[in-house]
């Protein structure tokens, strides 16, 4: 079932959201000091392409620098990525078939706001 949801997700929302994360990552990697933000953005772009069957967890070694970095991320990039997830999620929830995808999109808003200190892990069945 997750394969089917991932394929539909990729076509309807995942590709475009991943493009947004990749653009944010490229911009962050151009500026040397923001490379950690770029790497986090690329990691979340990977998750945005194929989210079903995987989940995000907090990293145990994340500390004060992750908190500070997430505050900076929210101000410069996180809010517009979260807005993209919100708009896409609402549009997908209009149709009955799109409701699970819309809910998945809305669940990605927190990680789009605070990506540092997170890791992607497979869901255990």
């Amino acid at each position: 079932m997750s394969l089917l949801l991932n394929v539909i997700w990729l076509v309807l929302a995942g590709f475009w959201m991943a493009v947004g994360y990749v653009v944010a990552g490229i911009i962050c990697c151009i500026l040397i000091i923001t490379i950690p933000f770029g790497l986090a953005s690329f990691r979340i772009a990977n998750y945005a392409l194929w989210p079903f069957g995987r989940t995000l967890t907090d990293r145990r070694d994340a500390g004060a620098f992750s908190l500070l970095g997430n505050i900076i991320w929210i101000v410069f990039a996180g809010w517009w990525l979260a807005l993209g997830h919100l708009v896409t999620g609402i549009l997908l929830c209009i149709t009955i078939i799109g409701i699970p995808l819309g809910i998945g999109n809305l669940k990605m808003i927190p990680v789009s706001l605070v990506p540092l200190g997170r890791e992607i892990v497979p869901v255990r069945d």
Side-chain angles (χ1 to χ4, degrees):
M1 186 63 160
S2 66
L3 176 66
L4 178 64
L5 284 172
N6 277 322
V7 170
I8 295 171
W9 170 270
L10 184 65
V11 172
L12 296 179
F15 178 75
W16 300 110
M17 293 311 301
V19 167
Y21 284 106
V22 168
V23 168
I26 290 170
I27 292 170
C28 288
C29 284
I30 289 173
L31 307 168
I32 304 290
I33 198 164
T34 56
I35 287 176
F37 299 112
L39 297 177
S41 185
F42 292 139
R43 186 174 55 249
I44 303 304
N46 177 18
Y47 180 68
L49 278 175
W50 208 258
F52 295 99
R54 300 189 296 171
T55 189
L56 289 158
T57 60
D58 293 328
R59 290 179 44 192
R60 292 179 179 242
D61 59 348
F65 289 115
S66 291
L67 175 66
L68 180 64
N70 281 328
I71 292 169
I72 295 169
W73 176 263
I74 289 170
V75 172
F76 291 106
W79 67 270
W80 64 270
L81 291 167
L83 184 64
H85 281 296
L86 180 66
V87 169
T88 307
I90 290 170
L91 290 174
L92 286 170
C93 284
I94 291 173
T95 65
I96 292 174
I97 294 172
I99 290 174
L101 303 174
I103 292 170
N105 227 326
L106 296 175
K107 286 182 180 179
M108 289 186 69
I109 290 174
V111 76
S112 68
L113 289 172
V114 286
L116 299 174
R118 301 281 185 107
E119 65 181 341
I120 303 167
V121 295
V123 173
R124 295 181 184 148
D125 292 329

